[in-house]
Amino acid sequence: MARKKEKAARKENAGEAGPSWDMEEFLKVFQGRTGNAVTRNRLERYLREGLLFPPGKDGRFSERHLERLQMLEHLRSRYGMSMRDMAGIFGVLEGRREEPTREGAAERGDDRKRKIVDNAARLFAAKGYHGTTVDEIVQATGIAKGTFYLYFESKEDLLVEVIKNLIDETLQRIDDKLRGKGKSDFITRIEAKGEELLELYLENSELLYMLLGETVGNRRLQEQLHEVYERLAERLEEDLQWGMREGEIFPYQDLRTVAYALVGMGQTVAILVSGSDREQLPRIRATVDQLVRRIFSR
């Protein structure tokens, strides 16, 4: 019975069942697991700033403390974060210890990441990629700078996510539009996709042209640009295959090449539209429609 009470007390104090250590043992365990040493002074400062929650009533540290210390040291050594930056990540004001609110606990993961992406997209479009700083992005999002690096390793990593998000939204709108039209012929399907792709280019031209410019000498962004074109072309290729099966279009030998040609045409037409008066838009759209019908007529 005494052992059970001791185990229950340790679980209550340490926050979980499992091994526990005094401060000196805790520091040795941390060094043994990570290969990195933490001084007693730094550990005590983490405790004072509220970044590391207090030990149990018996003064012992648990696995939960070990996991938090590993995260703190990763942020400090990998990204050079200050105590203040790390405080923002864990919802702690410098010099104070506060319990996380329900609202703060609810806003995590995908929601916070999406806010960062949305704000970055607006800033990139308005100020350009190089003209936008991480500080401006975190200020617009209302988070600490350290929180940014929990989701993205760099601004370039964020740019990739912004572009992926734009493509995902465009493809979703295409699917929604086609579901609303029900079963339709090839030209109707191509026109529906063309309209959404045109909107993608027009609404996000700065971002897309910026991505084109940033790809020079940057293998990662070159791969991302290729993925953008590939995903758009895949959707068009599906319609081309469907149109051929239905006997609606000319049986081209290489539908993949045709799909990429349509993506490229959409991008260049978007350049034309962006520099034209609104009165000219109906004529441009009608001409593109006529061209597509002629290209695919049997």
Side-chain angles (χ1 to χ4, degrees):
M1 179 65 73
R3 287 184 178 179
K4 286 184 178 180
K5 287 183 178 179
E6 180 181 351
K7 186 175 181 180
R10 178 172 293 182
K11 180 176 180 180
E12 178 184 354
N13 292 339
E16 61 178 27
S20 65
W21 312 275
D22 62 27
M23 184 175 289
E24 294 302 326
E25 293 169 338
F26 179 63
L27 292 172
K28 289 179 181 178
V29 170
F30 179 85
Q31 184 172 4
R33 291 195 185 181
T34 65
N36 299 312
V38 173
T39 65
R40 186 186 184 99
N41 285 341
R42 188 152 75 237
L43 179 65
E44 289 175 344
R45 187 174 177 196
Y46 283 147
L47 290 168
R48 285 197 306 272
E49 300 294 346
L51 293 168
L52 186 67
F53 27 81
K57 294 178 182 178
D58 55 2
R60 299 180 72 82
F61 296 84
S62 69
E63 288 283 353
R64 210 157 56 97
H65 293 92
L66 196 61
E67 290 173 3
R68 172 62 68 87
L69 183 58
Q70 287 175 321
M71 186 180 297
L72 292 170
E73 284 296 288
H74 174 73
L75 295 173
R76 185 189 66 83
S77 61
R78 176 71 182 274
Y79 301 111
M81 285 188 194
S82 66
M83 293 277 183
R84 187 180 186 85
D85 282 339
M86 287 190 283
I89 293 175
F90 300 107
V92 183
L93 295 175
E94 192 168 340
R96 296 174 59 190
R97 296 188 183 122
E98 295 183 349
E99 293 298 321
T101 63
R102 289 186 178 181
E103 291 79 9
E107 188 197 22
R108 62 178 86 224
D110 291 342
D111 290 340
R112 183 172 289 172
K113 183 176 181 180
R114 180 58 183 263
K115 286 183 179 180
I116 297 172
V117 171
D118 289 345
N119 285 316
R122 285 191 287 271
L123 286 168
F124 287 163
K127 304 184 63 177
Y129 174 71
H130 290 296
T132 301
T133 65
V134 171
D135 285 337
E136 289 172 325
I137 294 169
V138 301
Q139 184 177 4
T141 310
I143 58 173
K145 189 172 184 179
T147 306
F148 175 90
Y149 291 104
L150 286 179
Y151 299 98
F152 302 100
E153 291 193 2
S154 64
K155 191 170 68 168
E156 179 184 298
D157 189 38
L158 175 58
L159 173 61
V160 169
E161 189 67 26
V162 167
I163 299 299
K164 285 182 177 179
N165 189 58
L166 288 175
I167 301 304
D168 287 342
E169 290 180 348
T170 299
L171 295 179
Q172 184 60 54
R173 287 200 301 268
I174 288 173
D175 290 341
D176 293 342
K177 180 172 286 189
L178 290 176
R179 275 196 297 269
K181 291 180 179 293
K183 188 174 181 180
S184 53
D185 60 20
F186 170 78
I187 295 298
T188 301
R189 296 174 66 84
I190 287 293
E191 286 179 341
K193 292 186 176 182
E195 289 173 3
E196 290 299 331
L197 294 181
L198 182 61
E199 289 301 316
L200 169 68
Y201 291 132
L202 291 177
E203 293 177 6
N204 305 282
S205 58
E206 292 290 337
L207 281 174
L208 295 173
Y209 296 149
M210 178 177 58
L211 178 60
L212 281 171
E214 293 297 322
T215 57
V216 179
N218 189 319
R219 184 174 180 83
R220 185 186 183 198
L221 291 183
Q222 287 174 352
E223 292 173 352
Q224 178 59 33
L225 181 63
H226 177 74
E227 181 183 336
V228 168
Y229 287 138
E230 185 172 26
R231 292 182 66 190
L232 297 176
E234 281 177 353
R235 292 300 186 94
L236 294 172
E237 189 176 358
E238 291 173 2
D239 287 324
L240 290 167
Q241 292 171 346
W242 180 83
M244 282 185 58
R245 287 196 302 269
E246 296 294 317
E248 293 189 16
I249 66 172
F250 181 83
Y252 286 99
Q253 183 178 359
D254 185 357
L255 296 182
R256 183 176 177 80
T257 298
V258 175
Y260 268 87
L262 289 173
V263 172
M265 183 177 73
Q267 183 174 349
T268 52
V269 168
I271 295 174
L272 172 64
V273 171
S274 63
S276 302
D277 296 332
R278 299 193 69 84
E279 293 77 14
Q280 298 180 14
L281 297 186
R283 178 178 58 80
I284 294 174
R285 291 178 182 272
T287 303
V288 171
D289 177 70
Q290 184 181 33
L291 176 62
V292 170
R293 290 179 184 275
R294 292 286 290 178
I295 289 173
F296 294 107
S297 62
R298 293 184 63 86

